Amino acid sequence: MVEQESPEVSLHEPPAAQHAARRVAINATNPFVAQVATKALMLGYTFLQFRLLGGQATAPLADYFLAGIILLYTSTISDWGLSTLLTREVAKSEGTQERHTEELFRRTLGLRLLISLALFVPVGLFVAAYLALSSLSVAGAWTVLLLTLSLLPGAFSGSVTALLYARERMSLPAAIGVATSVVNVALGVGALLMGWGIVGLAVAALTSTVITAIIFYRILRRDFPTLQIGTDFSGALLRDAASISLLKAGMPLMLNALLVGLFFRVDMLIIRPALGSFAAEQYQAAYGFLNFVLLITPAVTLALFPRMSRHAQSDRPRLALEYTFALKVLLILSVPIVALTVWFAPLLISVVTGLTTKYLPEGAVALQILIFFLPLSFINGVTQYVLIALDLQRLITRAFAATVVVNLAANLALVPLMGIYGAALATILSELVLLGPFMLWTGREIGAVPLLSLAIKPLLAGMVVAGLAWLLWPLMGRWSASWGDFLLYAGGGLLLLLLYAGAMLALRPFTPDEVKGLQKALRRA
């Protein structure tokens, strides 16, 4: 069993290994805390958006959500996997090849800017087509175009962030993200109060993205003074042999991320024409909360990725140990998140949508179904980066392509029959389809991971919690929620959380060495 080798990475290691554990803890914890703060801020922002724009006959909020999905796809294509490549390759060099780092940074930045500019053509055609079909308002069209402009400053910020990640400096970009989110929200709230609608929201987002790029430029000049960013932004850059090699290496990563976006958000492209704009707003309300829980996997994987990249080359047993331990921690975290989300769903949807009841019960039920994708998403998220560290990103593309086909077919079949509940079920099915090949390919490279044994104790504790929740739920007696219900929900939620914690303590999921490692890493963090 892989777990039996854990003493090799216990705290009886040399000081260098202990320092590495501390660094991973810091790099996982600080960005996660910053992201939670950012998402809490954005939750309040979403509250105001739903309060002022939600449920209107002209569906401005549905147009804004559509613009956000377009930005998700275009930013994924613009990145082209080059950020991950930059992080991976610079991390491998461990600061020994500064000229190579500079050349790689300049080249990846130039490629990202050129790709971003090229994307204005298909986005313009999309906007024109939607306007011709009367499927998008004029305000929605301007919103799409303004958000697309943010690709250019976003490309620079993303490149500097990737460089900082390679040096395992995750806290600084996270802090900048919090600060610029404050600016974005402040500008957006002002725009809403002045009646500028979704166009004002887009202007606020573009302005904050430009400010972020300026801050990252100052950091680049301060922390990497010898790095020259002047680069060739002509078409010749695309024909350069080194650039072609980067584009070929990055294409699977880009396709993977694009396909992830497709199987996560293609449901919105089906819900709106099939069920109407209001149903799209109801489903988006459920996703408004999921933005919080989806922060956990990136916090862990980005902290581990530089180390995984090095261990994939020189120490596969250690890679297997770190991967197995990350899975164990994420599975233990996922069960109470699922239980508490199911319990708090009506209150959460009410809060997200501005304390209105018109999105209930449909939004709450959709959230209660949708959250069950989380344990599978945690496993797949970490496994994906292990495969990337092993330079197997082309295999990932096949799995994502198959998953998108399944997701699209499931949404087309289930949404007309079950509405937004069908879209939630399609998301869970997609994660399950992705799990099979991921586990197979990872097992071939670093040995089979005992996934069932890792999951069994959290599942047992989760079943105990689910039983209590089932008994308590009839006491709630309502599908709507207001601030007056908060104490009732909070008391039940606290009881469920304490029960889960007690069950996990009794089951002892961590080995003594793992407990000591966690304690020391957290103390030093």
Side-chain angles (χ1 to χ4, degrees), residues 379-440:
I379 297 169
N380 289 333
V382 176
T383 306
Q384 176 186 352
Y385 272 84
V386 171
L387 292 170
I388 293 171
L390 293 165
D391 201 20
L392 297 174
Q393 54 266 23
R394 286 175 175 80
L395 290 178
I396 303 174
T397 306
R398 301 177 193 173
F400 279 135
T403 303
V404 167
V405 172
V406 171
N407 182 267
L408 181 60
N411 273 289
L412 289 172
L414 295 176
V415 168
L417 291 175
M418 304 175 63
I420 60 176
Y421 308 153
L425 288 172
T427 300
I428 299 172
L429 176 63
S430 300
E431 291 286 356
L432 191 59
V433 169
L434 193 60
L435 181 66
F438 272 18
M439 289 292 101
L440 176 64

Side-chain angles (χ1 to χ4, degrees), residues 42-55 61 65 278 280-289 345-360 362-364 481 483:
M42 298 307 292
L43 181 63
Y45 194 29
T46 303
F47 173 97
L48 189 61
Q49 291 170 9
F50 270 101
R51 191 77 175 177
L52 297 179
L53 302 175
L61 205 53
F65 293 150
F278 185 65
E281 291 183 11
Q282 287 178 317
Y283 196 62
Q284 181 64 32
Y287 264 96
F289 170 72
L347 183 62
L348 291 170
I349 294 298
S350 294
V351 170
V352 167
T353 57
L355 295 181
T356 61
T357 59
K358 58 188 174 183
Y359 295 94
L360 294 168
E362 290 83 358
W483 289 117

Side-chain angles (χ1 to χ4, degrees), residues 338 341-346 363-372 473 479:
V338 171
T341 301
V342 172
W343 177 257
F344 282 107
V365 175
L367 177 57
Q368 288 175 326
I369 298 170
L370 194 58
I371 193 61
F372 281 92
W473 186 252
W479 270 109

Side-chain angles (χ1 to χ4, degrees), residues 80 82 85 111-112 115 237-252 394:
W80 203 269
L82 295 171
L85 287 178
L111 289 171
R112 289 189 65 175
I115 295 169
L237 180 65
L238 297 174
R239 298 188 295 271
D240 181 88
S243 296
I244 291 173
S245 177
L246 278 173
L247 291 173
K248 287 181 178 178
M251 180 176 284
R394 286 175 175 80

Side-chain angles (χ1 to χ4, degrees), residues 18-31 168 170 299-300 302-307 310 322 521 525:
Q18 297 180 27
H19 177 70
R22 178 195 174 200
R23 187 166 62 245
V24 169
I26 292 172
N27 286 335
T29 303
N30 290 352
E168 299 189 58
M170 284 76 173
V300 174
L302 290 175
L304 288 174
F305 186 56
R307 290 167 55 83
R310 291 192 289 270
E322 292 183 345

